[in-house]
Amino acid sequence: MVAVGVFLVPAWAPTLLYDRAGIVRGEWWRLWSGHLVHFGPAHLAWNLAVLLPAGLWAERIAASRTRLLLALAPPAMAIVLLIGLPDLARYGGLSGLASALLAFLACTQLGRAKGDSWFWWSVLGLLLGKIGAEISSVHPLFARFATDDVRPVPLAHAAGLGVAVLMALPRSHA
Amino acid sequence: MAFSRVSAWSPPVLCVLGVALLIGGGCSGMWGGKRKTERSSSVVNYLYPGEANPLPPTEVPVLRLPLRVGIAFVPSGNTRAYYQDAAITEVQKTALMERVAVEFKGRDYIQSIEVVPTSYLRPAGGFTNLDQVRGLLGVDVIALVAYDQVQFTNENILSLAYWTIVGAYIFHGNKNDTDTLMEAAVYDIASRHLLFRAPGASHVEAGAAAAYMEQRKRADGAKGFELATDDMIKNLKTQLEAFRERVKTAPAGTVARIERKPGYTGGGSFGGGFIVAGLLLWGVRWWRRRS
């Protein structure tokens, strides 16, 4: 809802976007809010298509940990981007968080061992395949964003997946 | 009888007739006859002066996005005018280049478009000159605009009225044809590579009275450049898209290598493929649970 609101009021985007220089200056809210900014309707729509079902399902089976993930994953991913991609000046999109929720859901479901583990392993495989394909892509310029200048950042997805696995593993082992 | 009548004309009358014929003939020579005016500039003459077989560049161009683009008219070193006329002025050139620049501003892979005044380029300056422009203005890629404009002037039957002197101000006894060909060649300065080129052409026809012929020719020349620029902009857009498609579909690094300048914008997104694959998985899960 907030992401849709931010998209409908473009004037907010510069203040909320992940802006490396701004974060370094102390605009710490960008660690969270950057994920809410999108670069086109398709960008927003695809991310919501993954985030909403994954988030609702995860909240139904592990409400408190899902909320904790929603609170901690955005800054964790942003810090990974700050350290790992010093040339990345601006970043936006919920896909990192959507990846985190999807991976968290898959790991949680695998921990519950309800019999369709093949499905959740496939989901994790699909996610890893997507990240791998983005890393090996030779034409980042011609990505699917509305603007050509926006480059996919697979590290955000990998970071989201990593945070989710870290949060889901203790419970799975318990 | 008739001869005796002519011979009877007094010398002053014959003098007046002679002067009238001389003036009329002079005017006819000044206004009449076919004329051709040609103005041109050449990218080849500018970039490869005195080179009969310029060697093609061997390295693949590296385009660091977003690009800083320059646009410049190639200096004319080849103006041949049978009837000396003012060539395209600096003001006209700047206006035309501004129009081209406006069409390509706002693209995310273009950081800036700089209109380079002709005074920055010297005739036959070659890539050495372009390196200087690159250093001065900080452009990575330059669109060099060359032109070839030919104007033909012919007389029609109305030009007979010019003999009356007043007719030279009233009757459109001259017909001007103006053919203009423009071409923008887009070069990566560092690798000396021609990325793509786009032509533009126009044909303008107009009639004029002898007294206003030069004025008309200048107006036609300017209109010719305007129309050719419109055509060139259209073709530039097509060629730019074709170039992007070539970079996209050709094996990596064969047409151009794309790099990012520090400070790029990144985003994360799920494409339709991911969603479809996820839905397929979900469908299989649902089917298996049912059965």
Side-chain angles (χ1 to χ4, degrees):
Chain A
M1 289 280 279
V2 180
V4 174
V6 171
F7 182 73
L8 293 176
V9 188
W12 294 351
T15 316
L16 301 177
L17 191 70
Y18 167 101
D19 181 327
R20 186 182 175 82
I23 294 168
V24 171
R25 277 198 306 269
E27 294 166 4
W28 50 266
W29 67 85
R30 293 179 187 272
L31 296 174
W32 278 269
S33 62
H35 302 272
L36 300 171
V37 181
H38 287 82
F39 302 118
H43 186 202
L44 175 66
W46 289 128
N47 285 349
L48 288 181
V50 175
L51 183 124
L52 286 178
L56 289 171
W57 196 343
E59 193 158 23
R60 213 181 64 185
I61 60 169
S64 57
R65 281 188 304 141
T66 300
R67 285 171 202 155
L68 194 63
L69 180 74
L70 286 171
L72 295 182
M77 287 185 290
I79 288 166
V80 169
L81 295 181
L82 270 176
I83 297 165
L85 296 174
D87 284 347
L88 178 69
R90 293 160 296 278
Y91 172 82
L94 277 167
S95 66
L97 193 56
S99 298
L101 281 168
L102 198 58
F104 174 76
L105 177 65
C107 291
T108 307
Q109 292 286 33
L110 283 170
R112 295 169 83 188
K114 280 242 177 169
D116 48 3
S117 59
W118 68 269
F119 173 74
W120 296 110
W121 280 118
S122 302
V123 169
L124 283 176
L126 195 60
L127 206 52
L128 285 169
K130 172 188 161 52
I131 294 167
E134 281 178 346
I135 290 169
S136 62
S137 170
V138 290
H139 297 298
L141 166 64
F142 302 101
R144 58 199 159 276
F145 298 101
T147 56
D148 282 331
D149 197 37
V150 182
R151 179 181 177 181
V153 182
L155 184 61
H157 301 149
L161 194 142
V163 172
V165 170
L166 283 176
M167 288 201 65
L169 271 182
R171 180 75 182 194
S172 305
H173 284 297
Chain B
M1 186 71 173
F3 177 75
S4 62
R5 205 178 282 169
V6 170
S7 62
W9 288 358
S10 62
V13 173
L14 286 171
C15 280
V16 169
L17 269 175
V19 169
L21 277 171
L22 276 173
I23 292 171
C27 290
S28 174
M30 187 175 73
W31 289 327
K34 291 180 182 176
R35 288 192 204 96
K36 179 186 171 191
T37 308
E38 185 177 352
R39 308 169 188 128
S40 68
S41 61
S42 160
V43 172
V44 175
N45 288 346
Y46 170 69
L47 289 180
Y48 305 101
E51 286 185 52
N53 296 305
L55 293 171
T58 48
E59 59 180 297
V60 175
V62 178
L63 302 178
R64 305 195 75 206
L65 303 184
L67 291 170
R68 289 165 304 178
V69 181
I71 179 166
F73 263 84
V74 173
S76 170
N78 181 30
T79 301
R80 298 192 305 275
Y82 291 98
Y83 197 85
Q84 194 59 43
D85 200 349
I88 180 170
T89 65
E90 200 56 33
V91 176
Q92 284 173 306
K93 284 179 186 174
T94 306
L96 293 177
M97 288 190 290
E98 287 286 358
R99 280 183 51 212
V100 177
V102 163
E103 292 290 332
F104 293 91
K105 271 179 185 163
R107 292 175 189 241
D108 295 306
Y109 48 89
I110 295 175
Q111 182 178 319
S112 60
I113 302 185
E114 197 84 43
V115 171
V116 183
T118 308
S119 55
Y120 280 55
L121 306 181
R122 58 174 187 277
F127 282 105
T128 313
N129 190 195
L130 284 188
D131 284 334
Q132 291 169 330
V133 172
R134 185 186 176 206
L136 273 171
L137 302 176
V139 295
D140 311 305
V141 165
I142 192 156
L144 293 172
V145 180
Y147 61 88
D148 185 42
Q149 187 173 71
V150 185
Q151 289 188 300
F152 295 98
T153 306
N154 293 303
E155 287 185 347
N156 57 31
I157 190 75
L158 292 176
S159 65
L160 289 173
Y162 294 168
W163 284 86
T164 64
I165 307 295
V166 175
Y169 290 86
I170 299 169
F171 296 105
H172 286 196
N174 285 81
K175 181 174 167 285
N176 297 331
D177 290 283
T178 304
D179 289 300
T180 309
L181 180 70
M182 293 177 81
E183 185 179 66
V186 181
Y187 277 87
D188 173 46
I189 301 175
S191 69
R192 278 114 166 90
H193 225 287
L194 174 64
L195 301 176
F196 58 91
R197 47 175 286 276
S202 72
H203 177 79
V204 177
E205 283 183 9
Y212 306 111
M213 196 173 68
E214 291 311 314
Q215 194 179 335
R216 182 75 254 168
K217 278 172 72 179
R218 279 195 296 276
D220 288 352
K223 191 178 175 189
F225 277 117
E226 286 280 332
L227 295 174
T229 302
D230 288 342
D231 194 34
M232 189 178 74
I233 288 171
K234 195 175 71 189
N235 290 330
L236 261 175
K237 286 179 177 172
T238 310
Q239 290 303 319
L240 180 61
E241 287 308 311
F243 175 71
R244 287 181 53 189
E245 207 49 43
R246 279 208 307 279
V247 174
K248 189 178 172 184
T249 52
T254 53
V255 177
R257 225 171 61 229
I258 306 294
E259 287 183 359
R260 296 272 167 179
K261 286 174 187 161
Y264 65 92
T265 301
S269 178
F270 288 93
F274 185 90
I275 308 291
V276 169
L279 286 174
L280 279 174
L281 267 177
W282 178 260
V284 173
R285 179 179 181 265
W286 177 79
W287 178 77
R288 279 180 59 141
R289 293 187 109 184
R290 267 192 63 148
S291 59

